[in-house]
Amino acid sequence: YGRPRTGTTLLFNMVGVSYFLHLLRSDPEAIETMQLKFWKWKENSQHLKPSRILNNAGVERVRYVIKTHMSLDYFRRARNLVVFSTASSRDEAEAMMEKEHNLLAFVQDLETLKDDGIEGLVKHYSIGYGLSMRDQRLLIEYFKSWEILRQCCGKQMSSRHRNDMLPSQFKVSKIGNHPFCGEVDIDEVEGRFMNTTIYRMIEKYS
């Protein structure tokens, strides 16, 4: 959960993959019940409200990992719910934890992510999910390549790199160059990513 452009895609993937590793060690049969979703919901929607869907999930033996920008108010009546959130700064993260301490398990903020990198973030999730040192190393290997690919290609490509690739007459001059995407061999990074241990683990269940 979090506002757009605060690292929610990284959060969603980090939670999903960490949970996958946790289940792989503790309850591998449950992996088949995992569903990763991006949820939007409108006030006039005819679908069940989010809390009702999640409460039904226990009966249906479905384990949801959800990315959403919706208000937390839609989830307050859900049972067996663990909420991870994002924030722009450490101060915002602390304020969120203080306000929603009964609901939030962890708030990932952009300032700490910038300072500690993927390695620091992986430590937080590894502790939360009880993962081993080997799992930590595998997560770091996986997400180092994942983060390059997220910024340098695909739907969530950096706006700076997108601008870099435009013909000169269409470039927006006030947008600076991306610090590294122009020098990256995307095919090589993609090959390295697809050859990571975690990618190959997940592929067995796809």
Side-chain angles (χ1 to χ4, degrees), residues 3-202:
R3 299 189 316 278
R5 315 309 300 174
T6 57
T8 52
T9 300
L10 175 59
L11 172 79
F12 175 61
N13 280 271
M14 189 70 76
V15 168
V17 177
S18 298
Y19 187 41
F20 168 81
L21 289 177
H22 169 74
L23 290 178
L24 194 63
R25 313 305 184 210
S26 62
D27 190 5
E29 291 184 2
I31 292 173
E32 299 286 357
T33 71
M34 284 182 66
Q35 293 189 24
L36 279 66
K37 302 284 187 180
F38 174 47
W39 274 7
K40 297 180 180 180
W41 195 82
K42 295 181 179 178
E43 191 62 44
N44 61 353
S45 173
Q46 299 301 309
H47 298 292
L48 289 176
K49 292 186 177 181
S51 290
R52 181 78 64 83
I53 295 172
L54 292 175
N55 289 338
N56 289 344
V59 177
E60 299 166 358
R61 294 187 56 79
V62 177
R63 296 168 186 253
Y64 286 111
V65 178
I66 299 160
K67 173 184 174 180
T68 188
H69 303 305
M70 296 156 51
S71 168
L72 287 177
D73 291 339
Y74 290 117
F75 298 90
R76 295 190 188 280
R77 295 187 178 182
R79 299 183 296 272
N80 299 320
L81 177 70
V82 180
V83 180
F84 299 82
S85 187
T86 58
S88 296
S89 65
R90 292 187 182 94
D91 288 345
E92 184 186 9
E94 290 177 7
M96 290 174 68
M97 285 298 295
E98 183 175 348
K99 180 182 178 182
E100 299 286 0
H101 62 276
N102 291 325
L103 189 61
L104 293 177
F106 176 67
V107 181
Q108 168 188 302
D109 71 87
L110 292 177
E111 284 184 350
T112 302
L113 179 60
K114 182 178 179 180
D115 290 344
D116 296 348
I118 291 295
E119 292 90 343
L121 190 59
V122 162
K123 287 182 182 178
H124 284 291
Y125 287 100
S126 296
I127 292 170
Y129 280 100
L131 302 179
S132 67
M133 290 300 296
R134 178 177 183 271
D135 288 335
Q136 286 190 44
R137 291 193 294 271
L138 296 180
L139 283 168
I140 291 169
E141 174 194 45
Y142 180 89
F143 278 101
K144 278 194 167 182
S145 294
W146 180 92
E147 182 64 5
I148 293 171
L149 294 173
R150 186 194 67 80
Q151 291 188 56
C152 301
C153 64
K155 289 184 178 180
Q156 292 223 331
M157 179 192 301
S158 162
S159 59
R160 286 190 287 174
H161 186 49
R162 195 184 308 277
N163 189 62
D164 290 342
M165 295 192 298
L166 291 173
S168 57
Q169 65 268 33
F170 298 116
K171 289 183 187 293
V172 179
S173 58
K174 64 181 180 181
I175 298 179
N177 295 334
H178 191 277
F180 64 79
C181 281
E183 306 300 321
V184 169
D185 183 338
I186 294 298
D187 290 338
E188 188 273 331
V189 176
E190 185 177 47
R192 189 168 70 235
F193 174 67
M194 294 176 68
N195 198 44
T196 60
T197 301
I198 288 180
Y199 184 94
R200 287 185 275 115
M201 286 177 175
I202 294 172

